[in-house]
Amino acid sequence: MTKAKVTGPDLSNLNLNPGAVYYQLSPAELIEAALKRNEGTLADSGALAIDTGTFTGRSPKDRFIVSDDLTRDLVWWSDINIAFDGEKADRLFARLIDYLENKTVFVRDAFACADAQFRLGIRVITETAYQNLFAYNMFLRPEDNESIKPEWTIVAAPGFMADPERDGTRQSNFSIIDFTKKRIMIGGTGYTGEIKKGVFSVLNFLLPVEKNILSMHCSANTGQNGDTALFFGLSGTGKTTLSADADRALIGDDEHGWSEHGVFNFEGGCYAKCINLSAENEPQIFGAIRFGSLLENINYFPGTRQVDYTNIEKTENTRVAYPIHYINNAAMPSVAPLPKHIFFLTADAFGVLPPISKLDAGQAMFHFISGYTAKVAGTEAGILEPQATFSACYGKAFLPLHPVTYAKLLGEKMEAQGVSAWLINTGWSGGPYGTGSRMKLAYTRAMIRAVMQGALEDVGFDVHPVFGLRMPVSCPGVPPELLNPVMTWQDAGAYEQKAHELAEAFIANFKQFEDVAGADLAKVMQAPAAERAS
């Protein structure tokens, strides 16, 4: 392993004096380093498999934002944006740098934002080789001889533990964003998602405030005619599956920006869940797991290096990170024209939402800020029946600004650019979970295909009596009786009761946004559900 392929960076601005600096190593060199340092093993696919240690997912209660003159009046201080004192952050950062004194570090300069107009240079300094491989895969890689001027610095050291009493953290692990000093420090956790979502949180602050760009937690694809589509949805709703289409180019699977002239990926790679992964169900993801990919917290079949994707002994959050060009039909560069269609995906376990509904701008803002899906029995300890869950803008945990900021931007861009919005229920029909049945993927794909091909432009629509949603009366490839959910229930009275319960849950959730939205906007956003739920 060579120390550097090019001249290493000057780290003196951080007061960092490491023992060795490995700069811009290739995936092969990073994998070699990881194996020599016993950070992981090679799976039979060629992918590097590692364990992230104690933390196999993000730790939201240990994510902080430095409160100062820049952030004090802009950040949505809440249970997901926890204020951290600037002086304490400086002292903790100095201790983190001292910890890395004379140690080996891996340094990578990269970009975020595929649209060159909005590129952000980032420098990722990691204690482990596998974290640097993750940064190579996830962020945008410079072309040969392309220079980068890093604006932001991320320092990630799993081996450094904070002292809560001394440092002001909640426990020994932490992720702290300092918008004024443009740095993210991560310690006490080897989970790479903290790096990814730290940068996402930065962009969710900078782009709306400075560029009037809507930052989005969504997947995106585009057709040959430039008809870009956005897919929003929480885990288990089909965001990755439905955006993966052999006939359409993938822009990205997770993080995007919507500017005045198009859509662009924030990242240069994908970070996909592996639980129950198979070549039959997710051929693109399965095929992307090869040399250069990074598998996290998986298990092998005993006595082999073959991954058992059904094994969740370590965690259900098994993951793989790979560069986006490992997907055959990925768009390169990851930019696309303005969106034509938006799909909000929900897996309604109560079985009352229509499988497809057309939304006006007010309804789109309402469902966007609601970010609804439902957990089913068995997904978490203690859940015995369907449970409504809401995550503002389908990514509450990563929103430094108030959700109304993003919802207003969505509505403005939809109106200005003539974008259609659709609510897609990939959940249950004919009754709730346990009674009804899950909507067939083939039907959902047919609905989305019909929207994209314009096949629903001339059909009639019925208005849902509870939710005020417009339901198409016909759709190619879908049995008409499925399009109005009450028709699939044996007991219309039971359906109506359950629909009212869900409408009231929507309204109760929205109350937290009313004051910031203001009376006029709040009325526009929640009127359809509010008028029908009483």
Side-chain angles (χ1 to χ4, degrees):
M1 182 178 67
T2 58
K3 182 169 183 176
K5 295 178 69 176
V6 295
T7 303
D10 181 5
L11 303 176
S12 60
N13 64 314
L14 304 175
N15 294 318
L16 177 57
N17 296 294
V21 177
Y22 294 102
Y23 180 59
Q24 300 294 75
L25 293 190
S26 68
E29 290 170 318
L30 288 168
I31 291 168
E32 179 186 10
L35 295 174
K36 285 183 176 179
R37 292 157 57 92
N38 295 315
E39 293 178 8
T41 57
L42 278 186
D44 62 0
S45 63
L48 177 66
I50 59 93
D51 289 347
T52 60
T54 302
F55 294 93
T56 57
R58 292 182 307 101
S59 185
K61 293 182 179 179
D62 300 297
R63 171 191 174 277
F64 306 92
I65 294 176
V66 173
S67 176
D68 56 21
D69 291 343
L70 174 60
T71 60
R72 193 170 294 115
D73 296 327
L74 284 176
V75 167
W76 175 41
W77 302 112
S78 59
D79 59 340
I80 55 100
N81 293 316
I82 306 168
F84 203 85
D85 179 76
E87 292 184 0
K88 287 184 178 179
D90 289 342
R91 290 195 293 269
L92 180 56
F93 186 72
R95 294 215 310 118
L96 174 61
I97 294 301
D98 285 345
Y99 167 81
L100 294 173
E101 183 87 14
N102 295 322
K103 286 185 169 62
T104 295
V105 297
F106 299 85
V107 181
R108 178 158 306 281
D109 290 343
F111 294 113
C113 300
D115 189 324
Q117 293 186 60
F118 310 114
R119 273 188 171 177
L120 184 72
I122 56 177
R123 171 164 290 166
V124 187
I125 302 171
T126 63
E127 184 181 8
T128 65
Y130 81 79
Q131 289 173 302
N132 218 259
L133 177 64
F134 177 84
Y136 174 89
N137 286 344
M138 289 310 305
F139 300 121
L140 291 154
R141 298 156 286 278
E143 302 291 337
D144 291 343
N145 301 318
E146 185 177 10
S147 62
I148 300 176
K149 293 182 179 179
E151 297 179 53
W152 275 75
T153 301
I154 300 99
V155 181
F160 175 75
M161 304 293 171
D163 179 343
E165 185 173 345
R166 174 181 179 179
D167 297 317
T169 58
R170 188 179 72 99
Q171 51 186 23
S172 60
N173 65 300
F174 59 89
S175 176
I176 302 175
I177 303 173
D178 188 328
F179 282 99
T180 297
K181 296 187 175 175
K182 297 183 177 181
R183 69 189 182 200
I184 302 171
M185 52 176 161
I186 301 167
T189 173
Y191 182 66
T192 58
E194 297 284 11
I195 299 173
K196 168 186 164 71
K197 292 306 185 186
V199 174
F200 186 40
S201 297
V202 167
L203 294 171
N204 282 334
F205 181 86
L206 297 180
L207 293 179
V209 171
E210 297 180 357
K211 307 291 185 181
N212 199 42
I213 290 172
L214 176 60
S215 52
M216 306 175 292
H217 190 209
C218 70
S219 59
N221 65 26
T222 190
Q224 294 180 356
N225 297 323
D227 53 327
T228 303
L230 307 178
F231 299 82
F232 293 87
L234 301 178
S235 179
T237 60
K239 177 168 64 102
T240 299
T241 299
L242 292 170
S243 63
D245 187 328
D247 296 326
R248 298 174 62 82
L250 179 70
I251 308 304
D253 76 331
D254 198 43
E255 302 173 8
H256 294 85
W258 181 353
S259 72
E260 296 303 313
H261 61 269
V263 170
F264 59 94
N265 195 348
F266 288 167
E267 302 179 302
C270 302
Y271 192 41
K273 287 187 175 181
C274 290
I275 184 171
N276 296 324
L277 183 68
S278 69
E280 293 74 25
N281 293 333
E282 299 283 0
Q284 291 182 315
I285 296 174
F286 194 88
I289 302 177
R290 55 183 191 263
F291 186 79
S293 299
L294 179 69
L295 286 163
E296 293 183 351
N297 302 310
I298 53 85
N299 292 276
Y300 295 127
F301 286 106
T304 76
R305 291 290 178 90
Q306 181 183 355
V307 178
D308 179 0
Y309 292 109
T310 66
N311 189 317
I312 56 172
E313 291 177 4
K314 295 172 185 172
T315 178
E316 291 188 9
N317 190 37
T318 52
R319 293 271 183 170
V320 60
Y322 49 85
I324 195 168
H325 60 258
Y326 277 22
I327 298 294
N328 291 332
N329 64 334
M332 301 295 293
S334 301
V335 296
L338 292 167
K340 187 174 182 180
H341 306 293
I342 297 173
F343 298 99
F344 298 121
L345 309 175
T346 179
D348 176 30
F350 300 101
V352 295
L353 286 177
I356 180 169
S357 312
K358 190 172 185 179
L359 310 176
D360 61 27
Q363 291 172 319
M365 287 190 286
F366 178 80
H367 283 280
F368 180 58
I369 206 169
S370 298
Y372 164 72
T373 193
K375 297 176 182 178
V376 299
T379 56
E380 293 181 13
I383 296 181
L384 303 178
E385 58 184 25
Q387 178 178 309
T389 182
F390 300 90
S391 180
C393 308
Y394 296 94
K396 176 184 175 182
F398 321 119
L399 304 181
L401 306 174
H402 195 282
V404 169
T405 303
Y406 306 96
K408 287 174 67 176
L409 259 179
L410 176 82
E412 291 167 4
K413 290 183 179 295
M414 281 187 60
E415 291 278 21
Q417 298 165 12
V419 182
S420 78
W422 304 79
L423 181 66
I424 304 292
N425 177 17
T426 63
W428 276 258
S429 177
Y433 172 83
T435 301
S437 57
R438 188 84 188 251
M439 186 64 59
K440 290 182 179 180
L441 179 59
Y443 292 154
T444 301
R445 288 195 185 279
M447 296 174 207
I448 290 174
R449 190 180 308 115
V451 170
M452 292 179 173
Q453 294 176 349
L456 300 185
E457 292 180 0
D458 297 322
V459 304
F461 287 83
D462 291 329
V463 177
H464 194 282
V466 176
F467 299 106
L469 299 167
R470 288 173 291 168
M471 308 174 293
V473 297
S474 64
C475 178
V478 181
E481 62 271 16
L482 289 182
L483 296 174
N484 188 335
V486 70
M487 302 299 292
T488 67
W489 282 54
Q490 292 185 354
D491 186 339
Y495 171 84
E496 185 175 355
Q497 179 180 347
K498 189 62 67 175
H500 277 290
E501 290 176 8
L502 182 57
E504 289 163 0
F506 269 103
I507 294 167
N509 176 71
F510 186 79
K511 289 186 181 300
Q512 64 185 302
F513 308 123
E514 286 181 332
D515 290 345
V516 175
D520 290 344
L521 181 60
K523 183 178 180 180
V524 168
M525 292 171 68
Q526 68 172 340
E531 292 171 0
R532 303 290 181 175
S534 59

